[in-house]
Amino acid sequence: MNLPRPSKLLTKMRSGQQVITYKLNSSCPRIAEIAAISGFDGIWICQEHVPTDQSTMYNQILAAKACDCDCIVRVAKGCYSDYIRPLEADASGIMIPHLMSLEEAREIVHTVRFQPLGLRPVDGGNADGLYCMLDFKEYIRFMNQNRLIIVQIEDPEPLSQLDQICQLDGIDMIFFGPGDFSHAIGHPAEFDHPEIHRVRKLVLETAHKYGKLAGTVSLPGMRQCLAEGFDLVNCGADVAAIANNCQTIIQEFNALKN
């Protein structure tokens, strides 16, 4: 029997390997293909801050899958369809931004996991269910075991319940977002602030204490994040690469004129 593609990110991390991802802000699937060909373990597609519609997302997932690369979709916070459509498009996982409480974490599990963990609405007629060619029960079993559910800690509010959140079945990874967290504590972009360091360490240690994976972005740097023990680190973004390249060219051009 044919099965959907398992998550390489989950397979690697469950075996103790660390992985890196690359974030897409653009709508072009060729950027996903370039990152995948280059050797990234996964692509981070954003629907929280970027006008990436469902069709664009689907084409980016297809481009990455063609190169045997995972896609994680950071969803927009909305109705249950916003959470499950990336999974039905065969994303390897989703990331939910700004988790605020244990209650919300429980609702996420209820929405995105099948029985016995939750009550995710079942279709099976999309890419993740092999377009109705996958047995109903096998579809439910496979998706519960092979899709990555990530919640982001970006605010002080959920920290008092972090231990309980990290014990919740159905959540795979706790992801610390330093940008929004610095903003939330009134010290925007002050990434050396003691509270940033404290919470980064707290998220990492609490996640690992309860057998969860821990992720973050490459601040202060990839080397340090990996040395600290983060399982997944996002390193770079397409818009940053293009901006840096444009600025370098303009600086060189201006220097030649002087």
Side-chain angles (χ1 to χ4, degrees), residues 134-151:
L134 184 60
D135 174 78
F136 189 106
K137 290 184 178 180
E138 184 60 22
Y139 170 53
I140 288 173
R141 183 203 67 79
F142 186 90
M143 287 300 134
N144 273 352
Q145 294 182 0
N146 290 279
R147 291 300 177 258
L148 183 62
I149 305 301
I150 305 169
V151 294

Side-chain angles (χ1 to χ4, degrees), residues 43-158:
I43 309 299
W44 173 353
I45 299 171
C46 184
Q47 292 189 313
E48 180 194 13
H49 295 292
V50 184
T52 298
D53 61 22
Q54 302 300 328
S55 179
T56 298
M57 172 197 69
Y58 185 64
N59 287 330
Q60 290 174 332
I61 292 171
L62 283 176
K65 283 170 58 179
C67 303
D68 196 25
C69 181
D70 281 12
C71 281
I72 300 297
V73 179
R74 180 164 65 181
V75 298
K77 297 191 78 167
C79 69
Y80 79 83
S81 294
D82 294 308
Y83 289 12
I84 67 169
R85 279 176 182 160
L87 296 171
E88 291 176 336
D90 210 22
S92 297
I94 61 170
M95 179 186 295
I96 296 92
H98 290 283
L99 179 73
M100 299 303 286
S101 67
L102 174 62
E103 181 182 1
E104 183 186 359
R106 286 174 174 154
E107 183 61 28
I108 288 168
V109 172
H110 179 81
T111 301
V112 303
R113 293 295 195 189
F114 292 124
Q115 284 275 16
L117 296 174
L119 282 178
R120 171 183 159 184
V122 184
D123 188 293
N126 297 297
D128 65 330
L130 300 183
Y131 304 102
C132 296
M133 292 186 284
L134 184 60
D135 174 78
F136 189 106
K137 290 184 178 180
E138 184 60 22
Y139 170 53
I140 288 173
R141 183 203 67 79
F142 186 90
M143 287 300 134
N144 273 352
Q145 294 182 0
N146 290 279
R147 291 300 177 258
L148 183 62
I149 305 301
I150 305 169
V151 294
Q152 285 193 272
I153 300 296
E154 304 179 273
D155 307 271
E157 285 85 348

Side-chain angles (χ1 to χ4, degrees), residues 186-248:
H187 295 275
E190 296 179 23
F191 299 118
D192 286 331
H193 192 278
E195 185 65 1
I196 299 291
H197 290 292
R198 184 188 76 83
V199 176
R200 284 180 79 253
K201 182 178 180 182
L202 178 66
V203 168
L204 174 66
E205 292 181 350
T206 308
H208 285 173
K209 176 182 177 181
Y210 295 106
K212 303 299 186 184
L213 301 165
T216 192
V217 296
S218 54
L219 287 172
M222 184 202 317
R223 181 187 296 271
Q224 181 172 332
C225 292
L226 294 175
E228 289 172 342
F230 281 96
D231 303 287
L232 181 150
V233 181
N234 187 78
C235 305
D238 53 2
V239 288
I242 294 169
N244 288 338
N245 181 246
C246 289
Q247 290 174 327
T248 298

